[in-house]
Amino acid sequence: QQQVKQSPQSLIVQKGGIPIINCAYENTAFDYFPWYQQFPGKGPALLIAIRPDVSEKKEGRFTISFNKSAKQFSLHIMDSQPGDSATYFCAASIGETSGSRLTFGEGTQLTVNP
Amino acid sequence: DSGVTQTPKHLITATGQRVTLRCSPRSGDLSVYWYQQSLDQGLQFLIQYYNGEERAKGNILERFSAQQFPDLHSELNLSSLELGDSALYFCASSVGVSPLHFGNGTRLTVT
């Protein structure tokens, strides 16, 4: 019940395309859903996060869509660039305080071709 | 730069050995988390410390242990190492409602 399922495992798009990465969770107690971006040789870095009281959150070219009833959320990257090529992880936790811990999805390796 | 420092960056050791991984959290962060990243298991939560006390435990093996010192740095000790322990080990820190900030990891190779 603590799992977060992420798909696809890998994704290749052309520059300007809109890659979409999907995640699904089971634990209805989860109430904080961040996305992390990881470049080779680096640690994951927070990209954008959402709470379940909103259905969409947008920050720059990155948008999270959240469907509470379906227990699914997704990341959309508008006007994707080669520099967006990285591994993306969705995650979930109960609370976002320092008492919480993240359960990560399996990761999606995104390649944006020029 | 996340402000979280992990040393060493790379570690190569033999089966049966013991190693210590070190993490210095961001200034002011009281919580330290350890995660293991492997190809087949993804990012797995190992353990969390808050201001020197163990706060939560995840999928941490009994051969592994951690501690957080009064200056808030943390160490992850891995003993009786097996080939399957080869992975990237990440430390992250946070305080209050801040998101987790990850270090760049220690790549452990067990031969």
Side-chain angles (χ1 to χ4, degrees), chain B residues 71-84:
Chain B
D71 66 353
L72 300 178
H73 91 270
S74 178
E75 293 181 355
L76 179 66
N77 300 295
L78 315 176
S79 61
S80 302
L81 285 167
E82 302 175 359
L83 295 177

Side-chain angles (χ1 to χ4, degrees), chain A residues 38 43 89 97-98 100-102, chain B residues 31 33 35 37 48 57 96 103:
Chain A
Q38 185 180 25
F89 293 92
T97 70
S98 56
S100 63
R101 71 185 207 203
L102 292 171
Chain B
S31 275
Y33 304 74
Y35 282 83
Q37 185 176 36
Q48 179 203 356
K57 229 171 187 178

Side-chain angles (χ1 to χ4, degrees), chain A residues 1-3 24-31 33 71 92-94:
Chain A
Q1 206 182 20
Q2 291 292 322
Q3 284 186 319
Y25 63 97
E26 290 294 325
N27 189 348
T28 55
F30 285 144
D31 63 356
F33 302 89
K71 292 185 287 185
S93 68
I94 302 170

Side-chain angles (χ1 to χ4, degrees), chain A residues 47-95:
Chain A
L47 194 59
I48 185 173
I50 197 168
R51 301 287 304 243
D53 52 347
V54 298
S55 60
E56 185 175 281
K57 183 174 181 180
K58 186 174 180 178
E59 285 184 7
R61 294 184 294 107
F62 301 92
T63 300
I64 300 179
S65 297
F66 188 86
N67 186 330
K68 188 175 181 178
S69 61
K71 292 185 287 185
Q72 294 176 347
F73 59 110
S74 60
L75 176 71
H76 301 232
I77 305 176
M78 305 301 177
D79 188 27
S80 59
Q81 302 296 313
D84 296 329
S85 297
T87 301
Y88 293 81
F89 293 92
C90 63
S93 68
I94 302 170

